[in-house]
Amino acid sequence: MKKYLFALLFLLPFFSVFAQADVFPTKKGNLEITPVFHAALVLQWNGLTVFADPYGGAERFKDRKAPDLIVITHEHGDHLDEATLSGLDLTKTELIAPQKVVDQLKNKSFAKVTVLGNGQNSTYKNIKIEAVGAYNIPEETARHKKGVGNGYVMTFGGKRVYISGDTDGTPDMRSLKNIDVAFVCMNPPYTMDVAPAADAVLAFKPAVVYPYHYRQPGNKLSDIEQFKKLVNNKDPKIDVRLRNWYTQL
């Protein structure tokens, strides 16, 4: 029995490295969303594969088909990760990103590049992409200035998915409507802390929310259990899903 328990404990970290996709039904088939690392995730729908902020090495994506679309929120290295991009097949991939990302981008392999600014939108093969302001408050001390980075609302067969990028709980976030799935950051001093993140989520009330991008300096992780408690104490209908985005720290 002891040998069995030891073997199980030994294997658990390896199982957890390969995050399982969560499946959301849409009007045009299932949407599968897989957490990868930090702010990186994979969305698969209707035969299309989307990478959001691919980061942490191309080997993390080796079991995925080449992306049809990549969205990048802003220019910081844990979002615009040139090393990861260089290991991906991008010859048939469209990039959607804010202007500053495109200005700094060294990788020229993309089949097409589309610039989106805050408040603008685009469509990629029936996926609607809306750029939402992602920035810190107040402006004077902001590490992420207003008008530079994007969050995104992506619509897959009627299912609306919000990816926050690096931001505080801005009016842009708080005024979102009809969000089915949200990914919300919480790692001070770069973004908001747990309590402000919970407060912002309670304002726009997504059906499902994942805390992500919650690694602080020194590899300290924000208290996502506390985030869940703060949200569900006030609104138990919001489905707060906790995932380990940092299995290899």
Side-chain angles (χ1 to χ4, degrees):
M1 184 66 178
K2 288 182 179 180
K3 288 182 179 180
Y4 172 79
L5 288 173
F6 176 81
L8 181 61
L9 290 170
F10 176 79
L11 287 170
L12 278 174
F14 293 91
F15 287 133
S16 63
V17 167
F18 302 99
Q20 295 299 307
D22 281 3
V23 179
F24 300 90
T26 81
K27 295 175 182 177
K28 295 185 178 180
N30 287 337
L31 168 65
E32 296 186 2
I33 305 180
T34 307
V36 179
F37 182 64
H38 192 50
L41 56 147
V42 175
L43 305 100
Q44 296 171 287
W45 174 78
N46 205 21
L48 300 173
T49 299
V50 181
F51 290 0
D53 283 340
Y55 168 63
E59 66 276 4
R60 295 182 185 275
F61 303 87
K62 65 182 179 182
D63 295 327
R64 307 288 167 183
K65 61 169 285 194
D68 299 287
L69 174 68
I70 288 178
V71 295
I72 294 179
T73 58
H74 65 289
E75 78 282 5
H76 292 162
D78 54 336
H79 298 264
L80 171 56
D81 182 1
E82 295 276 5
T84 296
L85 292 176
S86 67
L88 301 175
D89 178 4
L90 305 176
T91 54
K92 297 180 180 179
T93 304
E94 180 170 340
L95 171 67
I96 291 180
Q99 185 66 58
K100 194 163 185 180
V101 167
V102 175
D103 290 345
Q104 295 188 11
L105 184 68
K106 298 175 183 177
N107 193 303
K108 306 302 180 184
S109 302
F110 288 97
K112 182 181 178 181
V113 174
T114 298
V115 173
L116 278 191
N118 295 174
Q120 296 181 328
N121 63 74
S122 183
T123 300
Y124 177 84
K125 295 184 178 180
N126 295 319
I127 303 172
K128 183 179 180 182
I129 302 104
E130 305 165 66
V132 179
Y135 53 94
N136 297 130
I137 303 170
E139 179 99 14
E140 297 74 29
T141 57
R143 297 170 185 265
H144 303 88
K145 300 292 185 181
K146 188 173 184 178
V148 177
N150 292 332
Y152 295 103
V153 175
M154 308 180 71
T155 303
F156 303 83
K159 192 74 69 176
R160 286 166 54 80
V161 179
Y162 170 57
I163 299 170
S164 76
D166 282 14
T167 187
D168 285 331
T170 64
D172 309 61
M173 179 191 291
R174 298 175 72 89
S175 63
L176 291 169
K177 304 294 184 185
N178 303 317
I179 299 299
D180 297 291
V181 184
F183 292 84
V184 175
C185 61
M186 53 195 75
N187 68 328
Y190 308 111
T191 72
M192 56 190 162
D193 208 341
V194 167
D199 187 66
V201 165
L202 287 163
F204 73 91
K205 297 185 181 299
V208 177
V209 62
Y210 297 81
Y212 88 146
H213 196 287
Y214 55 84
R215 179 179 59 186
Q216 301 179 29
N219 285 335
K220 177 184 176 182
L221 302 181
S222 295
D223 189 345
I224 58 174
E225 293 281 358
Q226 178 65 10
F227 169 79
K228 178 178 175 67
K229 184 182 297 184
L230 290 171
V231 171
N232 287 152
N233 279 350
K234 291 192 174 181
D235 191 339
K237 293 181 180 179
I238 297 176
D239 182 358
V240 181
R241 300 190 183 181
L242 306 183
R243 300 292 184 265
N244 185 359
W245 296 73
Y246 300 100
T247 55
Q248 297 180 15
L249 288 184

